[in-house]
Amino acid sequence: MSERVEIRLIVNGEPVAKSVPARQNLVDFLREELGLTGTRAGCEHGVCGACTLRIDGAIARGCLVFAAQLDGSTVETVEGLSDSGEIADLQAQFLARNALQCGFCTAGMLVASAELLRRAEVPSRAEIREFLAGNYCRCTG
Ligand code: FES
Ligand code: FES
């Protein structure tokens, strides 16, 4: 039987207290324990960006972090950013400009794009390309 760890954290503004397997990654924790299925696991090796979210306000790869490491942390997922309205403009533009096909990569793209807009109010096309280079879309390449 795998070791379990008690954690308390804030997820999308809500306090959460859970006992988690020591080696459960954050994406699986969010999806399986909390029903937050917006964050996806693609490569599970920190490469594709499908699992992009925020931990303590900083953008992060959820597949590279164990939930057990996050006692006392704050996690924000695409659901939280959507509910708060922070990414409403981005969501509207993704829709208007057909920026998705299957949608598997979209949550990560939205969270990464929101981060870019926090760093540069009006990023150039080159800055957008460079910043989103770590988010892969398997539909559009
Ligand atoms: S699933 Fe985390 S980077 Fe690909
Ligand atoms: S829209 Fe399908 S992987 Fe990006």
Side-chain angles (χ1 to χ4, degrees), residues 27 40-52 61-64 104 134:
V27 180
R40 304 264 161 59
C43 66
E44 299 191 66
H45 286 88
V47 176
C48 75
C51 63
T52 305
R61 303 285 210 218
C63 70
L64 297 182
F104 190 89

Side-chain angles (χ1 to χ4, degrees), residues 4-9 11 16 18-31 33-34 55 61-73 75:
R4 297 187 75 88
V5 178
E6 302 287 333
I7 57 170
R8 291 176 183 274
L9 66 166
V11 180
V16 171
K18 288 275 186 186
S19 168
V20 297
R23 298 186 62 80
Q24 183 178 50
N25 73 38
L26 176 56
V27 180
D28 289 345
F29 171 71
L30 292 168
R31 295 177 61 87
E33 303 291 332
L34 305 184
I55 300 172
R61 303 285 210 218
C63 70
L64 297 182
V65 181
F66 293 130
Q69 295 174 274
L70 296 176
D71 189 40
S73 292
V75 173

Side-chain angles (χ1 to χ4, degrees), residues 9 17 26 36 40 48 59 84 93 99 106 111 121 133:
L9 66 166
L26 176 56
L36 294 170
R40 304 264 161 59
C48 75
I59 197 167
S84 72
Q93 287 304 314
T106 306
V111 178
E121 198 173 328

Side-chain angles (χ1 to χ4, degrees), residues 92-100:
Q93 287 304 314
F94 269 50
L95 195 59
R97 293 167 184 265
N98 298 316
L100 58 140

Side-chain angles (χ1 to χ4, degrees), residues 48-139:
C48 75
C51 63
T52 305
L53 38 65
R54 286 184 196 156
I55 300 172
D56 295 329
I59 197 167
R61 303 285 210 218
C63 70
L64 297 182
V65 181
F66 293 130
Q69 295 174 274
L70 296 176
D71 189 40
S73 292
T74 297
V75 173
E76 293 168 274
T77 69
V78 70
E79 290 93 342
L81 300 184
S82 180
D83 288 349
S84 72
E86 180 179 338
I87 58 172
D89 290 349
L90 278 170
Q91 288 171 306
Q93 287 304 314
F94 269 50
L95 195 59
R97 293 167 184 265
N98 298 316
L100 58 140
Q101 291 185 37
C102 78
F104 190 89
C105 69
T106 306
M109 292 278 187
L110 285 165
V111 178
S113 299
E115 179 65 18
L116 176 59
L117 292 175
R118 290 205 298 184
R119 299 182 186 191
E121 198 173 328
V122 185
S124 68
R125 181 173 284 265
E127 287 172 322
I128 295 168
R129 275 183 179 274
E130 183 178 346
F131 198 82
L132 294 183
N135 287 75
Y136 296 175
C137 177
R138 283 173 277 193
C139 293

